[in-house]
Amino acid sequence: MDSAAAGPDADAVTNHHQDGRAGIDAGLVRRLVADQFPQWAALPITPVKIDGWDNRTYRLGDELTVRLPTAASYATAIEKEHHWLPILAPQLPYPIPTAVGIGEPGHGYPHRWAIRRWIPGATATPETVDLDEFAHSVATFILALQRCDATGGPLPGIHSFQRGGPPSYYHSATMAALAELKDRIDASLALEVWETALASSWVRPPVWFHADLAHGNLLVENGRLSAVIDFGTSGVGDPACELAVAYTFFSGRAREVFRSAVQQDAGTWARGRGWALWKALITSDFRVIDEVLADHLTQTR
C-alpha cells in the first residue's frame, strides 16, 4: 500500500505483528535509505498501521513511503510501476501513487524496492462511504483506465499473477478447491459458474486493468473515493478480473449501480465471476462464493 487508514505509529516499530515480516523491519529500511538516499537519512521511519501482504510499507517522514516486496514474485512490479505510473496518472480521474525512486538490494535484502509519495486517505469500508456513489466512482476509474493507451503495456504474466489472461490458468486450483469444499457449497452451481467463465474469451485489443481493487487499495476522504493505490498486479489484457470488486465490496443496489456504470458485456461479467469465484474458493471466502453464485443465477436464468 502507498497509504493507510492512519498515519505512522511510532509504537508499532516494536510490534511484531506490524514489523519484521519477511525479514523486513524499520532498521533495515533505515539502513537502505541511508546508503542509497542519504538526503532522506534523517527522516523518521515508521510502519503503516494497515499494511498489505505483497509488500511492507513504511512512512518516510511526512511526504514519502518506502515499499519493499516480501518475495521475488512481488518484486517484478517495482520497475513496472516506476515506468507506468507517471504515464497513467494524468489520464485518470483520481490520484494514484507517484514514483519517486527505486532502491537496490542491500544489507541482506535481495530485491529492488520503491520510494513513493504518501497519499492521504482512509481505506474504504462499506460503513464509511455512500455505496451507490462509491460504486459509480469505482466504475468511472475502471473505464478511464481502460481508455488509457495500452501500446507497449505489460501483458499478463508473473507480474500480474496472470490477471488479464484467461481464468483457465487457475483451472487446476479451482477444481481442487471445488473438490475440497463440495460439502460446504453448491458445488454443481459453482462448477457451472466456472465453466461459463471458461467458455467466454476476450477477443478485443488489450486494455489496462488494475487487478486488485480491494478495499485497502481504494482510499476515501469525506466518504468519497479519493485515490487508488497499489498497481502491483496491473497490466494490459482482459479486464474481467477488475469486476471481482462487484462481489468483494458491493452487493444489492450498489452492485447494480456498478454494473450499469462500468458498461462491460455479459462475457466479461461471466469471466469476472470466474475470477472472483477462483479467489474465494482458494481462500474459503464463503460470503463471496454465495454472492457470485447468486449473481450468476440472477444474470443467466
Short mmCIF file of all heavy atoms in Angstrom, two decimals, residues 70-103:
data_model
loop_
_atom_site.label_atom_id
_atom_site.label_comp_id
_atom_site.label_asym_id
_atom_site.label_seq_id
_atom_site.Cartn_x
_atom_site.Cartn_y
_atom_site.Cartn_z
N THR A 70 7.88 -8.48 -0.41
CA THR A 70 8.17 -9.54 0.55
C THR A 70 8.65 -10.83 -0.10
O THR A 70 9.03 -11.76 0.60
CB THR A 70 6.93 -9.85 1.39
OG1 THR A 70 5.85 -10.23 0.52
CG2 THR A 70 6.50 -8.63 2.20
N ALA A 71 8.63 -10.90 -1.44
CA ALA A 71 9.09 -12.09 -2.14
C ALA A 71 9.46 -11.71 -3.57
O ALA A 71 9.04 -10.66 -4.08
CB ALA A 71 8.01 -13.18 -2.16
N ALA A 72 10.24 -12.58 -4.22
CA ALA A 72 10.70 -12.29 -5.59
C ALA A 72 9.54 -12.11 -6.55
O ALA A 72 9.60 -11.28 -7.47
CB ALA A 72 11.63 -13.41 -6.06
N SER A 73 8.46 -12.88 -6.37
CA SER A 73 7.32 -12.78 -7.29
C SER A 73 6.66 -11.41 -7.22
O SER A 73 6.06 -10.95 -8.19
CB SER A 73 6.29 -13.87 -6.98
OG SER A 73 5.87 -13.80 -5.63
N TYR A 74 6.75 -10.73 -6.07
CA TYR A 74 6.16 -9.40 -5.94
C TYR A 74 7.11 -8.31 -6.42
O TYR A 74 6.68 -7.23 -6.80
CB TYR A 74 5.78 -9.13 -4.48
CG TYR A 74 4.86 -10.16 -3.89
CD1 TYR A 74 5.09 -10.70 -2.62
CD2 TYR A 74 3.76 -10.63 -4.59
CE1 TYR A 74 4.25 -11.65 -2.07
CE2 TYR A 74 2.91 -11.58 -4.05
CZ TYR A 74 3.16 -12.08 -2.79
OH TYR A 74 2.33 -13.03 -2.25
N ALA A 75 8.40 -8.62 -6.42
CA ALA A 75 9.40 -7.62 -6.82
C ALA A 75 9.32 -7.29 -8.30
O ALA A 75 9.83 -6.25 -8.73
CB ALA A 75 10.80 -8.12 -6.46
N THR A 76 8.71 -8.16 -9.10
CA THR A 76 8.60 -7.89 -10.54
C THR A 76 7.81 -6.62 -10.83
O THR A 76 7.92 -6.06 -11.91
CB THR A 76 7.93 -9.08 -11.26
OG1 THR A 76 6.63 -9.30 -10.70
CG2 THR A 76 8.76 -10.35 -11.11
N ALA A 77 7.01 -6.17 -9.87
CA ALA A 77 6.17 -5.00 -10.10
C ALA A 77 6.91 -3.68 -9.92
O ALA A 77 6.42 -2.63 -10.38
CB ALA A 77 4.98 -5.02 -9.14
N ILE A 78 8.06 -3.70 -9.28
CA ILE A 78 8.73 -2.45 -8.93
C ILE A 78 9.05 -1.60 -10.17
O ILE A 78 8.66 -0.44 -10.26
CB ILE A 78 10.01 -2.72 -8.13
CG1 ILE A 78 9.66 -3.32 -6.75
CG2 ILE A 78 10.83 -1.44 -7.96
CD1 ILE A 78 8.92 -2.38 -5.83
N GLU A 79 9.76 -2.17 -11.12
CA GLU A 79 10.12 -1.41 -12.32
C GLU A 79 8.89 -1.10 -13.16
O GLU A 79 8.80 -0.02 -13.76
CB GLU A 79 11.14 -2.19 -13.14
CG GLU A 79 12.50 -2.28 -12.47
CD GLU A 79 13.53 -2.97 -13.36
OE1 GLU A 79 13.48 -2.79 -14.58
OE2 GLU A 79 14.36 -3.71 -12.81
N LYS A 80 7.95 -2.04 -13.23
CA LYS A 80 6.72 -1.81 -13.99
C LYS A 80 6.00 -0.57 -13.48
O LYS A 80 5.64 0.32 -14.27
CB LYS A 80 5.80 -3.03 -13.89
CG LYS A 80 4.43 -2.82 -14.53
CD LYS A 80 3.53 -4.04 -14.34
CE LYS A 80 3.10 -4.23 -12.92
NZ LYS A 80 2.16 -5.37 -12.76
N GLU A 81 5.79 -0.49 -12.19
CA GLU A 81 5.08 0.65 -11.63
C GLU A 81 5.88 1.94 -11.82
O GLU A 81 5.32 2.99 -12.12
CB GLU A 81 4.80 0.41 -10.15
CG GLU A 81 3.77 -0.68 -9.89
CD GLU A 81 3.52 -0.88 -8.41
OE1 GLU A 81 4.37 -1.51 -7.74
OE2 GLU A 81 2.50 -0.39 -7.93
N HIS A 82 7.18 1.86 -11.61
CA HIS A 82 8.01 3.07 -11.73
C HIS A 82 7.92 3.66 -13.14
O HIS A 82 7.91 4.88 -13.30
CB HIS A 82 9.47 2.73 -11.40
CG HIS A 82 10.33 3.94 -11.18
ND1 HIS A 82 10.29 4.67 -10.02
CD2 HIS A 82 11.22 4.56 -12.00
CE1 HIS A 82 11.13 5.68 -10.11
NE2 HIS A 82 11.71 5.65 -11.30
N HIS A 83 7.83 2.79 -14.14
CA HIS A 83 7.75 3.26 -15.52
C HIS A 83 6.35 3.76 -15.87
O HIS A 83 6.21 4.83 -16.48
CB HIS A 83 8.14 2.13 -16.47
CG HIS A 83 7.96 2.49 -17.92
ND1 HIS A 83 8.84 3.30 -18.60
CD2 HIS A 83 6.98 2.17 -18.82
CE1 HIS A 83 8.42 3.47 -19.85
NE2 HIS A 83 7.31 2.79 -20.01
N TRP A 84 5.31 3.00 -15.48
CA TRP A 84 3.97 3.27 -15.99
C TRP A 84 3.14 4.22 -15.15
O TRP A 84 2.25 4.90 -15.68
CB TRP A 84 3.22 1.95 -16.18
CG TRP A 84 3.70 1.19 -17.38
CD1 TRP A 84 4.49 0.08 -17.39
CD2 TRP A 84 3.44 1.51 -18.75
NE1 TRP A 84 4.75 -0.32 -18.68
CE2 TRP A 84 4.11 0.53 -19.54
CE3 TRP A 84 2.70 2.51 -19.39
CZ2 TRP A 84 4.05 0.55 -20.94
CZ3 TRP A 84 2.65 2.52 -20.78
CH2 TRP A 84 3.33 1.55 -21.54
N LEU A 85 3.38 4.31 -13.86
CA LEU A 85 2.55 5.19 -13.03
C LEU A 85 2.57 6.64 -13.53
O LEU A 85 1.50 7.28 -13.61
CB LEU A 85 2.98 5.12 -11.56
CG LEU A 85 2.65 3.81 -10.83
CD1 LEU A 85 3.24 3.83 -9.43
CD2 LEU A 85 1.14 3.57 -10.78
N PRO A 86 3.73 7.21 -13.88
CA PRO A 86 3.72 8.59 -14.37
C PRO A 86 2.99 8.75 -15.70
O PRO A 86 2.50 9.84 -16.02
CB PRO A 86 5.21 8.93 -14.53
CG PRO A 86 5.93 7.92 -13.70
CD PRO A 86 5.10 6.68 -13.76
N ILE A 87 2.94 7.69 -16.49
CA ILE A 87 2.24 7.74 -17.78
C ILE A 87 0.74 7.67 -17.58
O ILE A 87 -0.04 8.38 -18.24
CB ILE A 87 2.73 6.59 -18.69
CG1 ILE A 87 4.22 6.78 -19.01
CG2 ILE A 87 1.90 6.52 -19.97
CD1 ILE A 87 4.83 5.60 -19.75
N LEU A 88 0.29 6.83 -16.65
CA LEU A 88 -1.13 6.65 -16.42
C LEU A 88 -1.75 7.79 -15.63
O LEU A 88 -2.91 8.17 -15.86
CB LEU A 88 -1.38 5.33 -15.68
CG LEU A 88 -1.03 4.04 -16.43
CD1 LEU A 88 -1.15 2.84 -15.49
CD2 LEU A 88 -1.92 3.87 -17.66
N ALA A 89 -1.01 8.34 -14.68
CA ALA A 89 -1.58 9.30 -13.72
C ALA A 89 -2.34 10.46 -14.37
O ALA A 89 -3.46 10.78 -13.94
CB ALA A 89 -0.48 9.83 -12.80
N PRO A 90 -1.79 11.13 -15.40
CA PRO A 90 -2.51 12.28 -15.97
C PRO A 90 -3.81 11.91 -16.66
O PRO A 90 -4.64 12.79 -16.93
CB PRO A 90 -1.51 12.86 -16.98
CG PRO A 90 -0.19 12.29 -16.62
CD PRO A 90 -0.48 10.94 -16.05
N GLN A 91 -4.00 10.63 -16.95
CA GLN A 91 -5.18 10.21 -17.70
C GLN A 91 -6.30 9.70 -16.81
O GLN A 91 -7.37 9.32 -17.31
CB GLN A 91 -4.78 9.10 -18.69
CG GLN A 91 -3.63 9.48 -19.61
CD GLN A 91 -3.21 8.33 -20.51
OE1 GLN A 91 -3.97 7.91 -21.38
NE2 GLN A 91 -2.02 7.82 -20.28
N LEU A 92 -6.08 9.69 -15.50
CA LEU A 92 -7.03 9.07 -14.58
C LEU A 92 -7.74 10.13 -13.73
O LEU A 92 -7.17 11.17 -13.41
CB LEU A 92 -6.32 8.06 -13.69
CG LEU A 92 -5.69 6.88 -14.46
CD1 LEU A 92 -4.88 6.00 -13.53
CD2 LEU A 92 -6.77 6.07 -15.17
N PRO A 93 -8.98 9.85 -13.33
CA PRO A 93 -9.78 10.85 -12.62
C PRO A 93 -9.47 10.95 -11.13
O PRO A 93 -9.98 11.86 -10.46
CB PRO A 93 -11.22 10.37 -12.84
CG PRO A 93 -11.09 8.88 -12.97
CD PRO A 93 -9.79 8.65 -13.68
N TYR A 94 -8.68 10.02 -10.60
CA TYR A 94 -8.32 10.03 -9.19
C TYR A 94 -6.81 9.87 -9.06
O TYR A 94 -6.17 9.23 -9.90
CB TYR A 94 -9.04 8.91 -8.43
CG TYR A 94 -10.53 9.01 -8.50
CD1 TYR A 94 -11.26 8.25 -9.42
CD2 TYR A 94 -11.22 9.88 -7.66
CE1 TYR A 94 -12.64 8.37 -9.50
CE2 TYR A 94 -12.61 9.99 -7.74
CZ TYR A 94 -13.31 9.24 -8.66
OH TYR A 94 -14.67 9.36 -8.74
N PRO A 95 -6.23 10.43 -8.00
CA PRO A 95 -4.79 10.29 -7.81
C PRO A 95 -4.37 8.83 -7.68
O PRO A 95 -5.12 7.99 -7.15
CB PRO A 95 -4.53 11.05 -6.50
CG PRO A 95 -5.67 12.01 -6.39
CD PRO A 95 -6.86 11.30 -6.98
N ILE A 96 -3.17 8.53 -8.16
CA ILE A 96 -2.54 7.23 -7.99
C ILE A 96 -1.13 7.47 -7.46
O ILE A 96 -0.67 8.61 -7.43
CB ILE A 96 -2.52 6.41 -9.31
CG1 ILE A 96 -1.64 7.10 -10.36
CG2 ILE A 96 -3.94 6.21 -9.82
CD1 ILE A 96 -1.47 6.26 -11.64
N PRO A 97 -0.42 6.44 -7.03
CA PRO A 97 0.91 6.66 -6.45
C PRO A 97 1.87 7.38 -7.40
O PRO A 97 1.84 7.16 -8.61
CB PRO A 97 1.40 5.24 -6.15
CG PRO A 97 0.15 4.46 -5.96
CD PRO A 97 -0.84 5.03 -6.93
N THR A 98 2.71 8.22 -6.82
CA THR A 98 3.76 8.92 -7.57
C THR A 98 5.09 8.23 -7.31
O THR A 98 5.53 8.13 -6.16
CB THR A 98 3.85 10.39 -7.14
OG1 THR A 98 2.60 11.03 -7.39
CG2 THR A 98 4.95 11.11 -7.89
N ALA A 99 5.72 7.74 -8.37
CA ALA A 99 7.01 7.08 -8.24
C ALA A 99 8.11 8.11 -8.02
O ALA A 99 8.23 9.08 -8.78
CB ALA A 99 7.30 6.26 -9.50
N VAL A 100 8.92 7.93 -6.97
CA VAL A 100 9.99 8.87 -6.64
C VAL A 100 11.36 8.28 -6.92
O VAL A 100 12.23 8.94 -7.48
CB VAL A 100 9.89 9.30 -5.16
CG1 VAL A 100 11.06 10.20 -4.76
CG2 VAL A 100 8.56 10.01 -4.91
N GLY A 101 11.55 7.02 -6.55
CA GLY A 101 12.85 6.40 -6.78
C GLY A 101 12.80 4.90 -6.62
O GLY A 101 11.83 4.35 -6.07
N ILE A 102 13.81 4.22 -7.14
CA ILE A 102 13.96 2.78 -6.99
C ILE A 102 15.25 2.51 -6.22
O ILE A 102 16.32 3.03 -6.56
CB ILE A 102 14.01 2.06 -8.35
CG1 ILE A 102 12.66 2.15 -9.05
CG2 ILE A 102 14.39 0.58 -8.16
CD1 ILE A 102 12.62 1.41 -10.39
N GLY A 103 15.13 1.70 -5.19
CA GLY A 103 16.29 1.28 -4.41
C GLY A 103 16.79 -0.07 -4.87
O GLY A 103 16.05 -0.87 -5.45
#
